Structure formats: C-alpha cells, structure tokens
Amino acid sequence: ILKAFHRHWKSGTRTTMADGWIIGQLAFIYAFNTVKPAEIVDKLISIVIDVVTPGRGTGESSWWMRGLRSLEQSAERTRREIDIRSDLRRWDEEFPFIHHELVVRYLVGALASTAALLLYDRARWLTSRKR
C-alpha cells in the first residue's frame, strides 16, 4: 500500500487532484453568483402548478362551457400559485438563515461544481488514454 501511495505521490496526480478541486470551487462560485434564483423559482412554481392543476375535463361541448372551464382553471392556477408563494414567504420568515433563494443558489452551485468535475475528469481520462 505504501509503495502504491508513493508511486501515486511521485506521479504528479496530486496536482491534478488540486486542479480538480480548484475547478470545482470556481464553477461553484461562478454559478452561485450568476444564477438568478427568482427566475428558477418562478419556473419551478409554474411546473408544479402545471402538474398539480387538473387539465380539461369532459362536458365541454359548447363554447360557453369551454370558457367557463377555462376561467375556473385559471382561477385554480392563480390560487395555487398564491398558496405556494405564501408557503415560501412563511418558510423565509421561519428559517431566515435558509432563505429559499439561498437554497437555490447552493443547489445550482453544487450542480455546476459536479458537472465541472465530471467534465474535467472525463477530459483528463481522454488525454491520458491517448498517450
């Protein structure tokens, strides 16, 4: 085990491990600072509302019934959006140190860091394979 560690240490891979760490940190910092959490939260809310709000039902043979159903559906969507946003506001008041926009920033940063490390490892593997 010590011989393998010594070979690993002398081969110079410790610098590529440090390079990978730096790349991951830089990707996290960049994504954390450039992401717009409000846009992501708005998109997630619209996706949740699309999934939760039921679609068109039966009994819409006339134009009047279709209009009434469309009005009901838009009112339901608005009510659900207000409920979700009030839950987020309540969360922010209850846990001010874990603000929902900060959680979005951390998740995006972690995703960017993971993606950067995967791409870096893949590129490193491809270049070492060509040698």
Side-chain angles (χ1 to χ4, degrees):
I1 294 176
L2 288 176
K3 284 183 183 180
F5 177 74
H6 185 65
R7 262 185 278 137
H8 174 76
W9 184 261
K10 289 183 96 175
S11 68
T13 54
R14 66 187 179 281
T15 58
T16 57
M17 287 174 28
D19 292 345
W21 182 81
I22 290 170
I23 288 172
Q25 294 298 312
L26 290 174
F28 181 90
I29 291 168
Y30 178 77
F32 185 89
N33 289 320
T34 58
V35 71
K36 306 244 185 301
E39 293 175 9
I40 293 174
V41 169
D42 289 344
K43 189 65 175 172
L44 288 175
I45 287 173
S46 70
I47 290 170
V48 167
I49 289 172
D50 286 342
V51 169
V52 174
T53 305
R56 296 181 177 260
T58 58
E60 298 179 7
S61 57
S62 68
W63 64 270
W64 188 80
M65 286 302 289
R66 281 192 298 270
L68 182 63
R69 179 66 180 149
S70 175
L71 185 62
E72 288 174 351
Q73 197 173 16
S74 66
E76 177 72 16
R77 291 176 65 86
T78 303
R79 186 188 62 78
R80 288 187 190 256
E81 182 176 355
I82 290 171
D83 289 345
I84 291 171
R85 290 190 186 279
S86 66
D87 288 343
L88 284 174
R89 206 172 305 109
R90 192 174 25 248
W91 168 273
D92 293 340
E93 291 169 359
E94 194 171 330
F95 305 105
F97 51 91
I98 312 175
H99 196 275
H100 74 275
E101 290 185 356
L102 188 62
V103 171
V104 169
R105 285 183 184 272
Y106 278 123
L107 289 175
V108 169
L111 183 63
S113 175
T114 302
L117 287 174
L118 287 173
L119 289 173
Y120 179 72
D121 285 343
R122 180 69 176 172
R124 208 173 77 200
W125 179 75
L126 287 173
T127 57
S128 69
R129 205 175 102 190
K130 289 181 181 180
R131 289 183 199 172

